[in-house]
Amino acid sequence: MGAGVRPHVVAQLAVSVDGATAGFAVDHARFYALATLWQEDVTLIGADTILAQEEALRSAPHPGPRPAGPLLAVVDSRARVREWEALRRVGHWSDVLALYADQTPARSPDSSIAELITGYDRVDLAEALDLLGSRRGAEVVRVESGGTLIAVLLELGLIDELALLVHPVIVGSGGPWTTSRLNLNLSLANAEEFEGGVVWLRYCVSLGRGAQGSSEVGESVGGDG
Ligand SMILES: NC(=O)c1ccc[n+]([C@@H]2O[C@H](COP(=O)([O-])OP(=O)(O)OC[C@H]3O[C@@H](n4cnc5c(N)ncnc54)[C@H](OP(=O)(O)O)[C@@H]3O)[C@@H](O)[C@H]2O)c1
């Protein structure tokens, strides 16, 4: 891939019918089986998603890096992630990369974690994606997040594809994964129902923003396919 070419960015989320990303039993086997469709070069993960798993990570088996696996890049402007070595050795990723900003707190002098620094007080997500393309040759980036990072990327126009694994449950707490007032056109690329009533919805995110009003979004979903 040539320098400066931004990778294709897909965001994958497991959600309830009311849009929650936590508080229900996620069909992880299905979620990660579907994730393999993209064969991403980079898995981009929000720091809070990693922090939610740090305790489990410490006690998980650590077979070592998987050379054929994607690179794990974590957006971590505040240097909150500690378990980098465990992430590197957990057996999913080939290596790990910390995405930091200029103002990220000082790291331990003996840290051997590769860093990519963009932005002043927060990671500049557009620049980070550009650099993942130009320096790391990434063509496909898959984003995993409870919604916060995905919503920010969507607001910045940096998501090309949104894939939701909708679980037949209403959680009733925690709120939806995005409360953004952003109005975007989506076109349905694929819909599939699985055992247990779990539904897979894949949308292309069009570059142009939708007009105000939900009817316009409703009309465009499933329009062009
Ligand atoms: N259902 C699912 O599919 C799913 C998937 C993953 C996780 N989860 C659950 O979701 C929860 C965690 O997800 P979350 O949504 O709270 O957080 P998250 O998306 O994992 O993390 C938030 C990320 O957004 C970054 N960020 C926020 N605003 C930004 C900005 N303006 N510019 C640059 N970066 C920005 C933060 O960076 P800094 O803080 O480093 O600045 C942080 O890395 C956990 O409970 C986890 O178990 C669910």
Side-chain angles (χ1 to χ4, degrees):
M1 157 163 291
V5 179
R6 189 169 292 162
H8 179 81
V9 179
V10 54
Q12 187 190 12
L13 267 170
V15 294
S16 64
V17 167
D18 54 340
T21 59
F24 63 100
V26 171
D27 184 346
H28 285 112
R30 182 74 61 191
F31 185 88
Y32 287 107
L34 290 165
T36 63
L37 285 172
W38 290 285
Q39 298 289 306
E40 79 261 24
D41 303 300
V42 174
T43 316
L44 181 66
I45 301 194
D48 294 282
T49 293
I50 297 294
L51 293 174
Q53 295 172 21
E54 277 203 325
E55 202 172 317
L57 256 176
R58 279 189 282 273
S59 53
H62 293 122
R66 186 164 70 90
L71 172 72
L72 168 65
V74 183
V75 179
D76 190 21
S77 319
R78 289 170 279 171
R80 291 177 293 152
V81 171
R82 292 279 173 270
E83 297 297 328
W84 291 104
E85 266 316 309
L87 286 165
R88 193 210 302 273
R89 292 185 288 107
V90 81
H92 298 314
W93 294 288
S94 54
D95 204 350
V96 293
L97 175 68
L99 302 187
Y100 291 144
D102 279 347
Q103 295 298 301
T104 296
R107 277 74 74 191
S108 151
D110 56 0
S111 168
S112 61
I113 299 305
E115 302 179 359
L116 181 62
I117 298 175
T118 59
Y120 180 68
D121 54 0
R122 287 206 109 146
V123 172
D124 180 327
L125 296 165
E127 189 184 349
L129 285 168
D130 284 343
L131 292 173
L132 286 170
S134 60
R135 290 194 189 164
R136 299 276 182 155
E139 295 185 4
V140 178
V141 171
R142 186 178 63 86
V143 187
E144 261 191 60
S145 134
T148 306
L149 178 62
I150 292 175
V152 174
L153 289 164
L154 268 175
E155 296 242 1
L156 293 170
L158 297 173
I159 303 271
D160 300 297
E161 191 180 336
L162 180 63
L164 301 178
L165 190 62
V166 184
H167 290 61
V169 57
I170 291 176
V171 172
S173 62
W177 63 272
T178 175
T179 54
S180 165
R181 293 180 60 79
L182 186 69
N183 189 265
L184 276 182
N185 286 325
L186 304 175
S187 58
L188 187 66
N190 186 32
E192 209 173 333
E193 182 187 341
F194 297 112
E195 205 183 316
V198 174
V199 177
W200 175 237
L201 299 171
R202 256 177 103 173
Y203 296 98
C204 295
V205 182
S206 62
L207 290 177
R209 301 204 164 184
Q212 289 302 313
S214 56
S215 60
E216 182 108 352
V217 173
E219 279 159 22
S220 64
V221 170
D224 299 330

